[in-house]
Amino acid sequence: MPESLTCELVEERGLDGRYVAGTLPEVEAREFEAHYFGCGVCWERVQRGLAIRAAFAGSGAAAAVSPIR
């Protein structure tokens, strides 16, 4: 990901969902973190994803989701 991340690129590439699922390669995860820690929109997306993930944790559906790093 040589260009600077924007919210549009995050959405286009599904980086927030892939980050929460733990499927982003480490380099991409670090680049995404550099963006989302300073971006209110992406921060909210990640927090929402983590909340949904936590809600499924007790339902047995969590087995289908990879753990976050």
Side-chain angles (χ1 to χ4, degrees):
M1 274 191 270
E3 72 264 43
S4 295
L5 281 180
T6 62
C7 295
E8 291 79 19
L9 285 174
V10 167
E11 187 171 356
E12 179 181 301
R13 297 176 183 171
L15 298 179
D16 53 337
R18 292 171 45 211
Y19 179 82
V20 170
T23 61
L24 272 183
E26 191 169 333
V27 170
E28 285 184 87
R30 281 195 309 262
E31 290 175 355
F32 175 62
E33 287 170 347
H35 169 78
Y36 102 82
F37 284 138
C39 174
V41 172
C42 291
W43 176 264
E44 287 298 321
R45 287 180 182 164
V46 169
Q47 297 308 306
R48 189 174 337 131
L50 292 172
I52 291 168
R53 180 187 180 99
F56 278 107
S59 72
V65 181
S66 304
I68 193 164
R69 301 182 295 124

Short mmCIF file of all heavy atoms in Angstrom, two decimals:
data_model
loop_
_atom_site.label_atom_id
_atom_site.label_comp_id
_atom_site.label_asym_id
_atom_site.label_seq_id
_atom_site.Cartn_x
_atom_site.Cartn_y
_atom_site.Cartn_z
N MET A 1 0.84 -1.18 0.00
CA MET A 1 0.00 0.00 0.00
C MET A 1 0.88 1.24 0.00
O MET A 1 1.08 1.86 1.03
CB MET A 1 -0.88 0.01 1.25
CG MET A 1 -2.15 -0.76 1.09
SD MET A 1 -3.29 -0.46 2.44
CE MET A 1 -2.78 -1.73 3.57
N PRO A 2 1.42 1.60 -1.14
CA PRO A 2 2.34 2.73 -1.17
C PRO A 2 1.67 4.08 -0.95
O PRO A 2 2.26 4.97 -0.38
CB PRO A 2 2.97 2.65 -2.55
CG PRO A 2 2.09 1.78 -3.35
CD PRO A 2 1.31 0.93 -2.39
N GLU A 3 0.45 4.28 -1.42
CA GLU A 3 -0.20 5.58 -1.24
C GLU A 3 -0.77 5.70 0.16
O GLU A 3 -0.98 4.72 0.85
CB GLU A 3 -1.32 5.78 -2.28
CG GLU A 3 -2.55 4.94 -2.05
CD GLU A 3 -2.60 3.66 -2.83
OE1 GLU A 3 -1.59 2.96 -2.95
OE2 GLU A 3 -3.69 3.35 -3.33
N SER A 4 -0.98 6.95 0.58
CA SER A 4 -1.56 7.20 1.90
C SER A 4 -2.98 6.67 1.94
O SER A 4 -3.75 6.84 0.99
CB SER A 4 -1.57 8.69 2.21
OG SER A 4 -0.26 9.16 2.31
N LEU A 5 -3.32 6.05 3.04
CA LEU A 5 -4.67 5.52 3.19
C LEU A 5 -5.68 6.63 3.42
O LEU A 5 -5.41 7.57 4.15
CB LEU A 5 -4.74 4.55 4.36
CG LEU A 5 -4.22 3.15 4.12
CD1 LEU A 5 -4.37 2.31 5.39
CD2 LEU A 5 -4.94 2.48 2.98
N THR A 6 -6.80 6.50 2.79
CA THR A 6 -7.94 7.37 3.01
C THR A 6 -9.11 6.48 3.42
O THR A 6 -9.06 5.25 3.22
CB THR A 6 -8.34 8.13 1.72
OG1 THR A 6 -8.73 7.17 0.73
CG2 THR A 6 -7.18 8.97 1.19
N CYS A 7 -10.14 7.08 3.95
CA CYS A 7 -11.33 6.30 4.32
C CYS A 7 -11.91 5.58 3.10
O CYS A 7 -12.40 4.46 3.21
CB CYS A 7 -12.38 7.20 4.96
SG CYS A 7 -11.85 7.89 6.53
N GLU A 8 -11.83 6.23 1.95
CA GLU A 8 -12.35 5.63 0.72
C GLU A 8 -11.57 4.37 0.37
O GLU A 8 -12.16 3.35 0.00
CB GLU A 8 -12.31 6.63 -0.44
CG GLU A 8 -13.28 7.77 -0.28
CD GLU A 8 -12.80 8.88 0.69
OE1 GLU A 8 -11.58 8.98 0.97
OE2 GLU A 8 -13.67 9.62 1.18
N LEU A 9 -10.25 4.42 0.49
CA LEU A 9 -9.43 3.22 0.21
C LEU A 9 -9.68 2.13 1.24
O LEU A 9 -9.72 0.96 0.90
CB LEU A 9 -7.95 3.58 0.18
CG LEU A 9 -7.45 4.32 -1.06
CD1 LEU A 9 -6.00 4.75 -0.87
CD2 LEU A 9 -7.59 3.44 -2.29
N VAL A 10 -9.86 2.53 2.49
CA VAL A 10 -10.15 1.54 3.55
C VAL A 10 -11.43 0.80 3.20
O VAL A 10 -11.49 -0.43 3.26
CB VAL A 10 -10.27 2.24 4.93
CG1 VAL A 10 -10.88 1.29 5.96
CG2 VAL A 10 -8.91 2.74 5.38
N GLU A 11 -12.46 1.56 2.83
CA GLU A 11 -13.74 0.94 2.49
C GLU A 11 -13.63 0.09 1.23
O GLU A 11 -14.12 -1.05 1.19
CB GLU A 11 -14.81 2.01 2.32
CG GLU A 11 -16.19 1.42 2.13
CD GLU A 11 -17.28 2.47 2.18
OE1 GLU A 11 -17.00 3.64 2.42
OE2 GLU A 11 -18.43 2.08 1.95
N GLU A 12 -12.99 0.62 0.20
CA GLU A 12 -12.84 -0.09 -1.07
C GLU A 12 -12.13 -1.44 -0.89
O GLU A 12 -12.51 -2.44 -1.49
CB GLU A 12 -12.05 0.79 -2.04
CG GLU A 12 -11.79 0.20 -3.39
CD GLU A 12 -10.98 1.16 -4.25
OE1 GLU A 12 -11.46 2.29 -4.47
OE2 GLU A 12 -9.87 0.78 -4.67
N ARG A 13 -11.12 -1.47 -0.03
CA ARG A 13 -10.32 -2.68 0.18
C ARG A 13 -10.82 -3.54 1.35
O ARG A 13 -10.26 -4.61 1.60
CB ARG A 13 -8.86 -2.29 0.43
CG ARG A 13 -8.24 -1.60 -0.76
CD ARG A 13 -6.86 -1.14 -0.45
NE ARG A 13 -6.30 -0.43 -1.58
CZ ARG A 13 -5.16 0.23 -1.55
NH1 ARG A 13 -4.44 0.26 -0.43
NH2 ARG A 13 -4.72 0.86 -2.61
N GLY A 14 -11.83 -3.05 2.05
CA GLY A 14 -12.37 -3.81 3.18
C GLY A 14 -11.36 -3.98 4.31
O GLY A 14 -11.38 -4.98 5.01
N LEU A 15 -10.50 -3.00 4.48
CA LEU A 15 -9.41 -3.13 5.45
C LEU A 15 -9.92 -3.22 6.88
O LEU A 15 -9.35 -3.96 7.69
CB LEU A 15 -8.43 -1.96 5.32
CG LEU A 15 -7.71 -1.85 3.98
CD1 LEU A 15 -6.79 -0.63 3.97
CD2 LEU A 15 -6.93 -3.11 3.66
N ASP A 16 -10.97 -2.48 7.20
CA ASP A 16 -11.48 -2.51 8.58
C ASP A 16 -11.99 -3.89 8.95
O ASP A 16 -11.65 -4.43 10.00
CB ASP A 16 -12.54 -1.43 8.81
CG ASP A 16 -13.67 -1.46 7.79
OD1 ASP A 16 -13.48 -1.98 6.67
OD2 ASP A 16 -14.75 -0.94 8.11
N GLY A 17 -12.77 -4.50 8.09
CA GLY A 17 -13.29 -5.84 8.35
C GLY A 17 -12.19 -6.88 8.38
O GLY A 17 -12.19 -7.77 9.24
N ARG A 18 -11.25 -6.77 7.47
CA ARG A 18 -10.14 -7.73 7.44
C ARG A 18 -9.24 -7.55 8.66
O ARG A 18 -8.71 -8.53 9.18
CB ARG A 18 -9.35 -7.55 6.15
CG ARG A 18 -10.16 -7.99 4.93
CD ARG A 18 -9.53 -7.65 3.59
NE ARG A 18 -8.13 -7.96 3.51
CZ ARG A 18 -7.27 -7.26 2.75
NH1 ARG A 18 -7.68 -6.22 2.04
NH2 ARG A 18 -6.00 -7.60 2.72
N TYR A 19 -9.12 -6.32 9.14
CA TYR A 19 -8.33 -6.07 10.35
C TYR A 19 -8.99 -6.73 11.55
O TYR A 19 -8.34 -7.43 12.33
CB TYR A 19 -8.18 -4.56 10.57
CG TYR A 19 -7.40 -4.21 11.81
CD1 TYR A 19 -6.01 -4.23 11.78
CD2 TYR A 19 -8.03 -3.86 12.99
CE1 TYR A 19 -5.28 -3.92 12.91
CE2 TYR A 19 -7.31 -3.55 14.12
CZ TYR A 19 -5.94 -3.57 14.08
OH TYR A 19 -5.22 -3.27 15.20
N VAL A 20 -10.29 -6.50 11.71
CA VAL A 20 -11.02 -7.08 12.84
C VAL A 20 -10.97 -8.61 12.77
O VAL A 20 -10.85 -9.28 13.79
CB VAL A 20 -12.47 -6.56 12.88
CG1 VAL A 20 -13.32 -7.33 13.88
CG2 VAL A 20 -12.49 -5.07 13.22
N ALA A 21 -11.04 -9.15 11.57
CA ALA A 21 -11.01 -10.61 11.40
C ALA A 21 -9.60 -11.18 11.59
O ALA A 21 -9.43 -12.39 11.70
CB ALA A 21 -11.54 -10.99 10.02
N GLY A 22 -8.58 -10.30 11.61
CA GLY A 22 -7.21 -10.77 11.77
C GLY A 22 -6.61 -11.34 10.50
O GLY A 22 -5.68 -12.12 10.56
N THR A 23 -7.14 -10.94 9.33
CA THR A 23 -6.66 -11.50 8.08
C THR A 23 -5.78 -10.56 7.27
O THR A 23 -5.36 -10.93 6.17
CB THR A 23 -7.85 -11.96 7.20
OG1 THR A 23 -8.67 -10.84 6.90
CG2 THR A 23 -8.65 -13.05 7.90
N LEU A 24 -5.51 -9.37 7.79
CA LEU A 24 -4.61 -8.46 7.08
C LEU A 24 -3.17 -8.90 7.33
O LEU A 24 -2.80 -9.21 8.47
CB LEU A 24 -4.75 -7.03 7.61
CG LEU A 24 -5.79 -6.13 7.00
CD1 LEU A 24 -5.71 -4.74 7.63
CD2 LEU A 24 -5.67 -6.02 5.51
N PRO A 25 -2.35 -8.91 6.29
CA PRO A 25 -0.92 -9.17 6.51
C PRO A 25 -0.36 -8.10 7.47
O PRO A 25 -0.86 -6.97 7.53
CB PRO A 25 -0.30 -9.03 5.12
CG PRO A 25 -1.44 -9.28 4.18
CD PRO A 25 -2.66 -8.76 4.88
N GLU A 26 0.68 -8.44 8.19
CA GLU A 26 1.20 -7.56 9.24
C GLU A 26 1.55 -6.16 8.73
O GLU A 26 1.23 -5.16 9.38
CB GLU A 26 2.42 -8.19 9.90
CG GLU A 26 2.82 -7.46 11.15
CD GLU A 26 3.85 -8.21 11.96
OE1 GLU A 26 3.89 -9.45 11.89
OE2 GLU A 26 4.60 -7.53 12.67
N VAL A 27 2.16 -6.06 7.57
CA VAL A 27 2.54 -4.74 7.03
C VAL A 27 1.29 -3.90 6.77
O VAL A 27 1.23 -2.73 7.14
CB VAL A 27 3.37 -4.89 5.74
CG1 VAL A 27 3.57 -3.55 5.04
CG2 VAL A 27 4.71 -5.53 6.05
N GLU A 28 0.27 -4.51 6.16
CA GLU A 28 -0.98 -3.79 5.90
C GLU A 28 -1.68 -3.42 7.20
O GLU A 28 -2.26 -2.33 7.31
CB GLU A 28 -1.92 -4.61 5.03
CG GLU A 28 -1.53 -4.67 3.58
CD GLU A 28 -2.57 -5.42 2.77
OE1 GLU A 28 -3.54 -4.78 2.32
OE2 GLU A 28 -2.40 -6.65 2.63
N ALA A 29 -1.64 -4.30 8.18
CA ALA A 29 -2.27 -4.02 9.47
C ALA A 29 -1.62 -2.81 10.13
O ALA A 29 -2.31 -1.93 10.65
CB ALA A 29 -2.19 -5.24 10.38
N ARG A 30 -0.29 -2.74 10.10
CA ARG A 30 0.41 -1.58 10.68
C ARG A 30 0.05 -0.30 9.95
O ARG A 30 -0.17 0.74 10.57
CB ARG A 30 1.91 -1.81 10.66
CG ARG A 30 2.40 -2.73 11.77
CD ARG A 30 3.91 -2.64 11.94
NE ARG A 30 4.63 -2.80 10.70
CZ ARG A 30 5.19 -3.95 10.30
NH1 ARG A 30 5.09 -5.02 11.05
NH2 ARG A 30 5.83 -4.01 9.16
N GLU A 31 -0.02 -0.34 8.62
CA GLU A 31 -0.38 0.85 7.85
C GLU A 31 -1.82 1.26 8.14
O GLU A 31 -2.12 2.45 8.26
CB GLU A 31 -0.17 0.59 6.36
CG GLU A 31 1.30 0.49 6.00
CD GLU A 31 1.54 0.12 4.55
OE1 GLU A 31 0.57 -0.15 3.81
OE2 GLU A 31 2.71 0.09 4.16
N PHE A 32 -2.71 0.27 8.26
CA PHE A 32 -4.09 0.58 8.59
C PHE A 32 -4.18 1.19 9.98
O PHE A 32 -4.89 2.18 10.20
CB PHE A 32 -4.98 -0.66 8.48
CG PHE A 32 -6.38 -0.42 8.91
CD1 PHE A 32 -7.19 0.50 8.26
CD2 PHE A 32 -6.91 -1.09 10.00
CE1 PHE A 32 -8.49 0.74 8.68
CE2 PHE A 32 -8.21 -0.87 10.43
CZ PHE A 32 -9.00 0.06 9.76
N GLU A 33 -3.45 0.63 10.93
CA GLU A 33 -3.46 1.18 12.29
C GLU A 33 -2.99 2.63 12.31
O GLU A 33 -3.55 3.46 13.02
CB GLU A 33 -2.58 0.33 13.22
CG GLU A 33 -3.19 -1.00 13.55
CD GLU A 33 -2.24 -1.95 14.25
OE1 GLU A 33 -1.00 -1.69 14.28
OE2 GLU A 33 -2.73 -2.97 14.77
N ALA A 34 -1.96 2.94 11.52
CA ALA A 34 -1.47 4.32 11.45
C ALA A 34 -2.59 5.26 10.98
O ALA A 34 -2.67 6.40 11.42
CB ALA A 34 -0.26 4.42 10.52
N HIS A 35 -3.45 4.77 10.11
CA HIS A 35 -4.58 5.58 9.64
C HIS A 35 -5.71 5.60 10.66
O HIS A 35 -6.16 6.66 11.08
CB HIS A 35 -5.12 5.05 8.31
CG HIS A 35 -6.42 5.66 7.90
ND1 HIS A 35 -6.49 6.91 7.34
CD2 HIS A 35 -7.69 5.22 8.01
CE1 HIS A 35 -7.77 7.21 7.12
NE2 HIS A 35 -8.51 6.19 7.51
N TYR A 36 -6.16 4.44 11.10
CA TYR A 36 -7.39 4.41 11.89
C TYR A 36 -7.23 4.97 13.29
O TYR A 36 -8.18 5.48 13.86
CB TYR A 36 -8.04 3.03 11.85
CG TYR A 36 -7.88 2.12 13.05
CD1 TYR A 36 -8.70 2.26 14.16
CD2 TYR A 36 -6.96 1.11 13.04
CE1 TYR A 36 -8.58 1.41 15.25
CE2 TYR A 36 -6.84 0.26 14.11
CZ TYR A 36 -7.65 0.40 15.21
OH TYR A 36 -7.53 -0.43 16.28
N PHE A 37 -6.03 4.93 13.86
CA PHE A 37 -5.85 5.53 15.19
C PHE A 37 -6.06 7.04 15.15
O PHE A 37 -6.37 7.64 16.17
CB PHE A 37 -4.49 5.20 15.78
CG PHE A 37 -4.38 3.79 16.30
CD1 PHE A 37 -3.24 3.04 16.07
CD2 PHE A 37 -5.40 3.20 17.02
CE1 PHE A 37 -3.12 1.75 16.56
CE2 PHE A 37 -5.30 1.91 17.51
CZ PHE A 37 -4.15 1.18 17.28
N GLY A 38 -5.90 7.64 13.98
CA GLY A 38 -6.09 9.08 13.85
C GLY A 38 -7.34 9.47 13.10
O GLY A 38 -7.55 10.65 12.80
N CYS A 39 -8.19 8.51 12.78
CA CYS A 39 -9.39 8.77 11.97
C CYS A 39 -10.63 8.35 12.74
O CYS A 39 -10.83 7.17 13.01
CB CYS A 39 -9.30 8.00 10.65
SG CYS A 39 -10.79 8.13 9.64
N GLY A 40 -11.48 9.31 13.07
CA GLY A 40 -12.69 9.02 13.82
C GLY A 40 -13.63 8.07 13.11
O GLY A 40 -14.25 7.20 13.74
N VAL A 41 -13.75 8.20 11.80
CA VAL A 41 -14.66 7.35 11.02
C VAL A 41 -14.18 5.90 11.06
O VAL A 41 -14.95 4.98 11.37
CB VAL A 41 -14.78 7.85 9.57
CG1 VAL A 41 -15.56 6.86 8.71
CG2 VAL A 41 -15.43 9.23 9.53
N CYS A 42 -12.92 5.68 10.76
CA CYS A 42 -12.40 4.32 10.73
C CYS A 42 -12.29 3.75 12.14
O CYS A 42 -12.49 2.55 12.35
CB CYS A 42 -11.06 4.28 10.01
SG CYS A 42 -11.25 4.59 8.23
N TRP A 43 -11.99 4.60 13.12
CA TRP A 43 -11.97 4.15 14.52
C TRP A 43 -13.33 3.57 14.88
O TRP A 43 -13.42 2.49 15.46
CB TRP A 43 -11.60 5.31 15.44
CG TRP A 43 -11.65 4.93 16.89
CD1 TRP A 43 -12.69 5.13 17.74
CD2 TRP A 43 -10.64 4.27 17.63
NE1 TRP A 43 -12.39 4.64 18.99
CE2 TRP A 43 -11.13 4.10 18.96
CE3 TRP A 43 -9.37 3.81 17.33
CZ2 TRP A 43 -10.38 3.48 19.94
CZ3 TRP A 43 -8.63 3.20 18.33
CH2 TRP A 43 -9.14 3.04 19.62
N GLU A 44 -14.41 4.28 14.55
CA GLU A 44 -15.76 3.81 14.85
C GLU A 44 -16.07 2.50 14.13
O GLU A 44 -16.70 1.62 14.70
CB GLU A 44 -16.81 4.86 14.48
CG GLU A 44 -16.84 6.03 15.44
CD GLU A 44 -17.19 5.64 16.86
OE1 GLU A 44 -18.07 4.77 17.05
OE2 GLU A 44 -16.58 6.19 17.79
N ARG A 45 -15.64 2.37 12.89
CA ARG A 45 -15.87 1.13 12.14
C ARG A 45 -15.21 -0.06 12.83
O ARG A 45 -15.79 -1.13 12.96
CB ARG A 45 -15.34 1.24 10.71
CG ARG A 45 -16.16 2.12 9.82
CD ARG A 45 -15.53 2.15 8.45
NE ARG A 45 -16.26 3.02 7.56
CZ ARG A 45 -15.77 3.47 6.42
NH1 ARG A 45 -14.54 3.14 6.04
NH2 ARG A 45 -16.50 4.25 5.66
N VAL A 46 -13.95 0.14 13.26
CA VAL A 46 -13.24 -0.94 13.92
C VAL A 46 -13.90 -1.27 15.26
O VAL A 46 -14.11 -2.44 15.59
CB VAL A 46 -11.75 -0.60 14.11
CG1 VAL A 46 -11.05 -1.60 15.04
CG2 VAL A 46 -11.05 -0.56 12.76
N GLN A 47 -14.26 -0.24 16.03
CA GLN A 47 -14.91 -0.47 17.32
C GLN A 47 -16.24 -1.21 17.14
O GLN A 47 -16.56 -2.11 17.92
CB GLN A 47 -15.11 0.84 18.07
CG GLN A 47 -13.81 1.54 18.44
CD GLN A 47 -12.83 0.63 19.16
OE1 GLN A 47 -13.15 0.02 20.16
NE2 GLN A 47 -11.63 0.52 18.62
N ARG A 48 -17.00 -0.83 16.12
CA ARG A 48 -18.26 -1.52 15.83
C ARG A 48 -18.00 -2.98 15.47
O ARG A 48 -18.69 -3.89 15.95
CB ARG A 48 -18.99 -0.81 14.69
CG ARG A 48 -20.39 -1.32 14.46
CD ARG A 48 -21.15 -0.50 13.42
NE ARG A 48 -20.61 0.84 13.30
CZ ARG A 48 -20.29 1.44 12.14
NH1 ARG A 48 -20.50 0.84 11.02
NH2 ARG A 48 -19.78 2.64 12.12
N GLY A 49 -17.00 -3.22 14.66
CA GLY A 49 -16.65 -4.59 14.29
C GLY A 49 -16.23 -5.42 15.48
O GLY A 49 -16.61 -6.58 15.62
N LEU A 50 -15.45 -4.81 16.38
CA LEU A 50 -15.03 -5.52 17.58
C LEU A 50 -16.21 -5.81 18.50
O LEU A 50 -16.28 -6.88 19.11
CB LEU A 50 -13.97 -4.71 18.33
CG LEU A 50 -12.62 -4.59 17.62
CD1 LEU A 50 -11.72 -3.61 18.36
CD2 LEU A 50 -11.95 -5.94 17.45
N ALA A 51 -17.17 -4.88 18.57
CA ALA A 51 -18.36 -5.09 19.39
C ALA A 51 -19.20 -6.23 18.83
O ALA A 51 -19.71 -7.08 19.58
CB ALA A 51 -19.18 -3.81 19.48
N ILE A 52 -19.35 -6.26 17.53
CA ILE A 52 -20.11 -7.34 16.89
C ILE A 52 -19.41 -8.68 17.13
O ILE A 52 -20.04 -9.67 17.47
CB ILE A 52 -20.29 -7.07 15.38
CG1 ILE A 52 -21.24 -5.88 15.19
CG2 ILE A 52 -20.80 -8.31 14.65
CD1 ILE A 52 -21.26 -5.34 13.77
N ARG A 53 -18.11 -8.67 16.98
CA ARG A 53 -17.33 -9.87 17.21
C ARG A 53 -17.52 -10.37 18.64
O ARG A 53 -17.71 -11.56 18.88
CB ARG A 53 -15.86 -9.56 16.94
CG ARG A 53 -14.93 -10.68 17.14
CD ARG A 53 -13.51 -10.14 17.01
NE ARG A 53 -12.62 -11.21 17.20
CZ ARG A 53 -12.03 -11.89 16.23
NH1 ARG A 53 -12.21 -11.53 14.99
NH2 ARG A 53 -11.25 -12.90 16.49
N ALA A 54 -17.48 -9.46 19.60
CA ALA A 54 -17.66 -9.82 21.01
C ALA A 54 -19.06 -10.37 21.26
O ALA A 54 -19.23 -11.32 22.02
CB ALA A 54 -17.39 -8.62 21.91
N ALA A 55 -20.06 -9.80 20.59
CA ALA A 55 -21.43 -10.27 20.76
C ALA A 55 -21.58 -11.70 20.27
O ALA A 55 -22.34 -12.49 20.84
CB ALA A 55 -22.40 -9.35 20.03
N PHE A 56 -20.86 -12.05 19.21
CA PHE A 56 -20.93 -13.40 18.67
C PHE A 56 -20.08 -14.40 19.46
O PHE A 56 -20.26 -15.60 19.32
CB PHE A 56 -20.49 -13.42 17.20
CG PHE A 56 -21.57 -13.02 16.26
CD1 PHE A 56 -21.52 -11.78 15.64
CD2 PHE A 56 -22.62 -13.87 15.98
CE1 PHE A 56 -22.52 -11.40 14.75
CE2 PHE A 56 -23.62 -13.50 15.09
CZ PHE A 56 -23.56 -12.26 14.49
N ALA A 57 -19.18 -13.90 20.28
CA ALA A 57 -18.24 -14.77 21.00
C ALA A 57 -18.95 -15.82 21.84
O ALA A 57 -18.49 -16.95 21.95
CB ALA A 57 -17.31 -13.94 21.87
N GLY A 58 -20.08 -15.49 22.43
CA GLY A 58 -20.79 -16.45 23.27
C GLY A 58 -21.83 -17.25 22.54
O GLY A 58 -22.46 -18.13 23.11
N SER A 59 -22.01 -17.01 21.22
CA SER A 59 -23.08 -17.67 20.50
C SER A 59 -22.63 -18.89 19.72
O SER A 59 -23.43 -19.52 19.06
CB SER A 59 -23.73 -16.67 19.53
OG SER A 59 -22.87 -16.40 18.45
N GLY A 60 -21.34 -19.20 19.74
CA GLY A 60 -20.85 -20.32 18.95
C GLY A 60 -20.44 -19.89 17.55
O GLY A 60 -19.75 -20.61 16.86
N ALA A 61 -20.86 -18.71 17.11
CA ALA A 61 -20.49 -18.22 15.79
C ALA A 61 -19.06 -17.75 15.75
O ALA A 61 -18.49 -17.60 14.69
CB ALA A 61 -21.42 -17.08 15.37
N ALA A 62 -18.46 -17.52 16.89
CA ALA A 62 -17.08 -17.02 16.95
C ALA A 62 -16.10 -18.01 16.35
O ALA A 62 -15.03 -17.62 15.91
CB ALA A 62 -16.69 -16.69 18.38
N ALA A 63 -16.42 -19.28 16.33
CA ALA A 63 -15.52 -20.28 15.77
C ALA A 63 -15.25 -20.02 14.29
O ALA A 63 -14.20 -20.42 13.77
CB ALA A 63 -16.10 -21.67 15.96
N ALA A 64 -16.15 -19.35 13.60
CA ALA A 64 -15.97 -19.06 12.18
C ALA A 64 -15.14 -17.82 11.95
O ALA A 64 -14.82 -17.50 10.82
CB ALA A 64 -17.35 -18.88 11.52
N VAL A 65 -14.75 -17.10 13.00
CA VAL A 65 -14.01 -15.86 12.88
C VAL A 65 -12.62 -16.04 13.46
O VAL A 65 -12.47 -16.56 14.56
CB VAL A 65 -14.74 -14.71 13.64
CG1 VAL A 65 -13.98 -13.42 13.51
CG2 VAL A 65 -16.16 -14.57 13.14
N SER A 66 -11.60 -15.63 12.70
CA SER A 66 -10.22 -15.72 13.18
C SER A 66 -10.00 -14.75 14.33
O SER A 66 -10.57 -13.67 14.33
CB SER A 66 -9.26 -15.37 12.04
OG SER A 66 -9.48 -16.17 10.93
N PRO A 67 -9.16 -15.10 15.28
CA PRO A 67 -8.89 -14.18 16.38
C PRO A 67 -8.10 -12.98 15.89
O PRO A 67 -7.26 -13.10 14.98
CB PRO A 67 -8.07 -15.01 17.36
CG PRO A 67 -7.50 -16.11 16.54
CD PRO A 67 -8.45 -16.35 15.41
N ILE A 68 -8.35 -11.82 16.47
CA ILE A 68 -7.59 -10.62 16.13
C ILE A 68 -6.21 -10.75 16.73
O ILE A 68 -6.04 -11.36 17.78
CB ILE A 68 -8.33 -9.35 16.62
CG1 ILE A 68 -7.72 -8.13 16.00
CG2 ILE A 68 -8.33 -9.25 18.12
CD1 ILE A 68 -8.59 -6.90 16.10
N ARG A 69 -5.22 -10.21 16.06
CA ARG A 69 -3.84 -10.32 16.54
C ARG A 69 -3.68 -9.58 17.83
O ARG A 69 -4.12 -8.62 18.16
CB ARG A 69 -2.85 -9.72 15.55
CG ARG A 69 -2.90 -10.36 14.22
CD ARG A 69 -1.90 -9.80 13.25
NE ARG A 69 -2.15 -8.42 12.90
CZ ARG A 69 -1.26 -7.45 13.05
NH1 ARG A 69 -0.09 -7.68 13.51
NH2 ARG A 69 -1.52 -6.22 12.71
#
